[in-house]
Amino acid sequence: MSTPTLLLVDDDRFVRTLLKDAIQESGLEVRLLEAADGQEGLEVATRERPAVMLLDLFMPRRSGLEVLAAMKDSSPDTRVLIISSMDAEPVVEQAMSAGAVGFVGKPFHPLEIALAIRQALAH
C-alpha cells in the first residue's frame, strides 16, 4: 500500500508549520504537500490527488468553500478536513453539507489534528 498524500492549504505559513509538526509528531506516515492559498490548493489537488486535504476557509484567490465545491469535480476521492478559526455552528454546518468530512477549530491541539486525519483516512 502506498503512502497517503496530505495537502495542507492555508495562507498562514505559521499554521502550515504547526500542522506539519503535529502530523510528523503523531507518527502518521504520509507525504506532505503545501499550498499557500485556495487557488494553489486546488491546482495541487487536481494534479496530485491527495487522500486528505486540510483546508482553511478564509484565504486569498479562492475561499475554502469555493475550493471544497470545486474538489467535488476535480478530485472527488479526496477527503477534505476544514481547519478554521471560524467554528460557529452555521459555518461548520455549511462546510459539512458542502462535502467536508470533518472540521477542526483553530487553535487546535496536535492530537486533535492527528485524530481527524486518521478518521478521514479511514472514511
Side-chain angles (χ1 to χ4, degrees):
M1 185 172 155
S2 64
T3 302
T5 299
L6 263 61
L7 174 57
L8 311 177
V9 185
D10 197 303
D11 58 318
D12 187 330
R13 181 187 309 251
F14 180 70
V15 171
R16 292 195 314 270
T17 299
L18 289 175
L19 287 167
K20 283 191 298 189
D21 290 348
I23 292 163
Q24 290 167 344
E25 290 172 13
S26 74
L28 283 166
E29 292 191 26
V30 295
R31 177 175 162 241
L32 286 172
L33 301 174
E34 293 182 55
D37 63 46
Q39 182 62 40
E40 182 184 357
L42 189 55
E43 291 166 4
V44 172
T46 300
R47 183 176 63 246
E48 299 289 336
R49 306 267 191 230
V52 177
M53 174 189 280
L54 282 70
L55 180 64
D56 187 23
L57 285 180
F58 299 101
M59 297 178 289
R61 300 206 302 159
R62 281 208 183 196
S63 74
L65 289 176
E66 290 172 323
V67 172
L68 184 56
M71 289 296 293
K72 287 185 176 184
D73 296 326
S74 67
S75 187
D77 293 334
T78 298
R79 288 157 314 270
V80 179
L81 285 169
I82 301 296
I83 312 262
S84 180
S85 58
M86 290 296 298
D87 59 357
E89 191 172 328
V91 175
V92 174
E93 287 176 5
Q94 184 179 11
M96 298 302 285
S97 66
V101 298
F103 195 107
V104 178
K106 293 178 188 175
F108 52 81
H109 189 281
L111 294 176
E112 187 179 17
I113 292 297
L115 177 61
I117 292 168
R118 285 187 173 93
Q119 289 172 337
L121 286 169
H123 191 267

